[in-house]
Amino acid sequence: VDPTNSAFVEAGTPAVALLRDGFAVASISYRLSQVAKFPAQINDCKGAVRFLRANATKYDLDPNAFGAWGSSAGGHLVALMGTSGDANDLEGDVGGNVGVSSRVQAVCDFFGPTDFLAMKGLPSTIQHMSADSPESQLLGASVAEAPDRAKLASPVTYVSKDDPPFLIVHGDKDRLVPYQQSELLHAALTKAGVASELHIVKGAGHGRFRDPAVPKKVRAFFLKTLKGTAPA
């Protein structure tokens, strides 16, 4: 879970509400681009999942039912966690537990970048291909000048038929991460035969959704994918 998510924050992280349904919630910290460049961020996330799975008995967790939820930069990382379960090059050794799976069984992506190379020409207040864009800062090089690195950091690169189910939510007035990025990921997942739902929030910008359907969809999604039940 990305702790910077501004949507539905009531107590620390929006996922806290899922405690009522018997879920355990862990908020993952990861190194920002000012501290370390990609793939440090996904290495941190995968290391956290390996730690939790390795200690599932200790913390009373179901090792076969891990979900990931994040927004914006966190949305990018949870999407990457979901699609790169078989990408050993992104695994890293953060936290140890090498050999323990870092796969997740469900992904809820709120308005995360999904294809860095497809940012050009989309409506945005950010020049995503420039050297000072958030994506370029993450890579340590301009997206335009380092297309290979940009591809490695893009969740769409790793989409395959064994990816977990996705719920993707994006505002159609987002001027930081254009909603077309979520459309691209949804299309790639669907083409690969992966269960994916894309919910576009009309009139919404970069988060701060006021659509009452969104929290209901998130709850129903995790109940279905991780517990095999429907909301009461």
Side-chain angles (χ1 to χ4, degrees):
V1 176
D2 172 25
T4 65
N5 189 342
S6 61
F8 315 118
V9 175
E10 295 179 0
T13 167
V16 166
L18 296 175
L19 293 173
R20 295 193 295 266
D21 292 304
F23 290 100
V25 176
S27 186
I28 295 175
S29 294
Y30 55 84
R31 287 168 286 175
L32 302 181
S33 58
Q34 298 93 325
V35 176
K37 303 305 179 185
F38 185 85
Q41 295 72 24
I42 191 64
N43 291 166
D44 292 347
C45 293
K46 287 176 174 285
V49 173
R50 291 197 307 271
F51 170 83
L52 291 169
R53 183 165 278 124
N55 290 277
T57 300
K58 177 180 179 180
Y59 296 115
D60 194 23
L61 306 176
D62 181 349
N64 300 311
F66 276 34
W69 180 11
S71 64
S72 195
H76 162 250
L77 289 172
V78 298
L80 192 56
M81 290 167 70
T83 62
S84 69
D86 53 358
N88 292 331
D89 291 345
L90 298 184
E91 198 66 33
D93 60 0
V94 175
N97 301 300
V98 176
V100 177
S101 174
S102 67
R103 286 181 177 269
V104 294
Q105 285 68 56
V107 173
C108 181
D109 164 22
F110 275 21
F111 48 90
T114 66
D115 187 345
F116 289 4
L117 294 173
M119 288 284 201
K120 186 176 182 180
L122 295 180
S124 176
T125 57
I126 297 175
Q127 297 297 319
H128 292 279
M129 308 300 285
S130 68
D132 61 351
S133 73
E135 295 82 8
S136 296
Q137 292 297 310
L138 176 69
L139 300 177
S142 166
V143 172
E145 296 176 356
D148 290 342
R149 285 185 59 78
K151 185 176 180 181
L152 289 175
S154 297
V156 295
T157 299
Y158 305 95
V159 169
S160 60
K161 62 182 181 181
D162 62 345
D163 291 343
F166 271 69
L167 171 63
I168 308 169
V169 182
H170 213 129
D172 67 351
K173 301 300 182 183
D174 193 331
R175 290 297 178 261
L176 297 180
V177 178
Y179 73 90
Q180 289 89 347
Q181 285 282 297
S182 285
E183 290 183 330
L184 287 170
L185 177 59
H186 174 65
L189 291 166
T190 301
K191 183 178 180 180
V194 179
S196 176
E197 178 182 357
L198 173 62
H199 180 67
I200 298 296
V201 184
K202 300 298 183 182
H206 197 64
R208 301 189 181 279
F209 301 137
R210 289 181 171 82
D211 181 354
V214 173
K216 293 178 181 178
K217 282 182 174 292
V218 172
R219 178 173 180 247
F221 171 73
F222 282 122
L223 282 171
K224 178 181 178 180
T225 56
L226 301 182
K227 288 181 176 290
T229 62

